[in-house]
């Protein structure tokens, strides 16, 4: 089932513009992380932006990427760490294509509510979808 989803995402991403295709691949990695954490216990709370304003999406994404590294440290799982590393490369590549966007009036990472890993990953998928549909 997971393999079929990955194949479908690959076909779907091939038809999208380059940056949108990258974000589809990021969602695939997030789904993989969601599946992988089912088998291990990670007792981490992560700064999570659950009410993202479109004008703050780059700032929020940077916070999500920083917090993702906490999962990597807490999990001590090679599959999760490899997936996170790939996701970070993809997301940072796409963010760098946005140039040096400056967003004002956005919350700093430490001002965000701390949520469990499942809620964090759900919110992360939501923000990635914002990048796909507003590119």
């Amino acid at each position: 089932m997971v393999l079929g989803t990955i194949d479908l995402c690959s076909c779907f991403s091939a038809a999208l513009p380059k940056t949108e295709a990258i974000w589809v691949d990021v969602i695939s990695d997030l789904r993989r992380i969601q599946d992988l954490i089912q088998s291990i216990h990670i007792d981490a709370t992560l700064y999570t932006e659950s009410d993202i304003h479109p004008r703050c999406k780059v700032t929020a994404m940077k916070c999500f990427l920083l917090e993702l590294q906490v999962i990597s440290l807490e999990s001590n799982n090679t599959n999760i760490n490899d997936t996170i590393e790939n996701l970070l490369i993809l997301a940072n590549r796409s963010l760098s294509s946005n140039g040096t966007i400056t967003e004002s009036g956005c919350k700093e990472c430490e001002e965000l509510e701390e949520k469990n890993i499942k809620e964090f990953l759900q919110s992360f998928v939501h923000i990635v979808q914002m990048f796909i549909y507003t590119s």
Side-chain angles (χ1 to χ4, degrees):
M1 180 81 183
V2 171
L3 183 58
T5 304
I6 293 169
D7 290 340
L8 177 63
C9 286
S10 297
C11 292
F12 179 64
S13 67
L16 293 171
K18 187 175 181 181
T19 54
E20 289 179 22
I22 290 172
W23 291 119
V24 169
D25 292 339
V26 167
I27 287 180
S28 293
D29 283 345
L30 285 170
R31 299 276 190 235
R32 178 166 164 73
I33 293 166
Q34 287 173 322
D35 290 342
L36 290 168
I37 65 164
Q38 299 297 326
S39 61
I40 62 173
H41 178 72
I42 300 176
D43 188 29
T45 56
L46 306 156
Y47 293 119
T48 304
E49 177 63 90
S50 53
D51 187 27
I52 303 156
H53 192 283
R55 69 173 166 73
C56 291
K57 70 180 186 177
V58 172
T59 300
M61 177 58 73
K62 289 178 181 179
C63 290
F64 275 103
L65 296 175
L66 286 171
E67 288 298 279
L68 196 61
Q69 294 175 33
V70 172
I71 296 172
S72 185
L73 293 170
E74 294 279 329
S75 75
N76 199 22
N77 178 291
T78 304
N79 290 328
I80 290 174
N81 293 347
D82 290 347
T83 305
I84 287 172
E85 183 178 333
N86 185 64
L87 187 155
L88 290 169
I89 290 167
L90 291 171
N92 283 315
R93 182 184 310 149
S94 188
L95 284 177
S96 69
S97 71
N98 286 330
T100 54
I101 293 175
T102 304
E103 299 173 324
S104 60
C106 303
K107 291 182 183 177
E108 297 293 321
C109 297
E110 294 78 19
E111 295 176 290
L112 301 174
E113 188 177 344
E114 291 187 55
K115 297 197 175 182
N116 69 44
I117 192 166
K118 290 180 182 180
E119 291 174 289
F120 170 82
L121 291 170
Q122 289 170 348
S123 292
F124 202 154
V125 168
H126 175 71
I127 190 173
V128 172
Q129 290 169 338
M130 289 177 71
F131 276 86
I132 292 171
Y133 299 118
T134 61
S135 301

